[in-house]
Amino acid sequence: QVKLTETGGGSVQAGGSLRLSCEASKSLHNAYCVGWFRQSPQKEREGLATIDSTGDTSYADSVKGRFIISQDNAKNTLYLQMNNLKSEDTGLYRCAASPGCRQTSSQVLRHITEEWFGYWGEGTQVTVSS
C-alpha cells in the first residue's frame, strides 16, 4: 500500500507560479510510474505530466513549456512546478502512482482512471484568477 499526500495548492493570479508536492509513504523509485492529473467539474480528468520507471517524462500539450515534473527519491516526493499559470489551470490536482509499471511516460499520460493507477492522493486545489 502507498499513501500519497499532495500539498502546495492555493490561489494565484494569472502569470504566477506554484509548486505542488506529493509525498509518498514509501519509495516509488524505479518501481512505479507516477504522474500529476487535474480535474474540475467542467472537464474530464486530464493527465498533465508523468514520469516512467526509467525517469523519462512526458507532458500534455496544455502544460508543455510551463509545467515541470520532478521527483526527489531521497524524500519520496514528487513535484510539479507550475509557471505562467492561466485561469484554465484551475482545478483539483492529484498525484497518482502505478506499481510495477513498464509503460513509457507518454503511454502513461493517456491513462486517467482510478483503476489503472491504483494509488491516488486526495488532491490539492489550485485556483488561478485572471
Side-chain angles (χ1 to χ4, degrees):
Q1 291 290 329
V2 178
K3 180 175 174 60
L4 303 174
T5 305
E6 303 95 336
T7 56
S11 296
V12 64
Q13 288 195 328
S17 297
L18 284 173
R19 189 176 81 154
L20 306 183
S21 299
C22 169
E23 184 174 358
S25 59
K26 61 185 287 186
S27 174
L28 303 178
H29 184 51
N30 285 341
Y32 291 76
C33 296
V34 293
W36 285 98
F37 299 79
R38 176 172 67 207
Q39 55 192 66
S40 67
Q42 299 80 19
K43 298 180 183 179
E44 184 183 44
R45 180 183 295 154
E46 178 184 13
L48 303 176
T50 55
I51 302 177
D52 64 27
S53 59
T54 70
D56 189 41
T57 59
S58 289
Y59 297 90
D61 289 342
S62 60
V63 305
K64 197 174 295 183
R66 299 189 298 124
F67 290 11
I68 300 172
I69 188 172
S70 63
Q71 56 185 15
D72 185 332
N73 297 318
K75 297 181 179 179
N76 294 341
T77 301
L78 180 70
Y79 300 101
L80 185 68
Q81 176 67 43
M82 306 187 296
N83 301 318
N84 190 22
L85 283 161
K86 305 175 182 180
S87 57
E88 52 263 41
D89 293 320
T90 293
L92 182 69
Y93 284 68
R94 302 175 69 188
C95 61
S98 173
C101 169
R102 290 294 178 260
Q103 294 193 9
T104 66
S105 59
S106 59
Q107 292 171 322
V108 175
L109 194 59
R110 294 197 289 267
H111 295 294
I112 60 172
T113 64
E114 301 272 344
E115 295 78 14
W116 194 89
F117 276 91
Y119 300 108
W120 289 81
E122 294 298 314
T124 185
Q125 179 68 33
V126 171
T127 302
V128 184
S129 57
S130 57

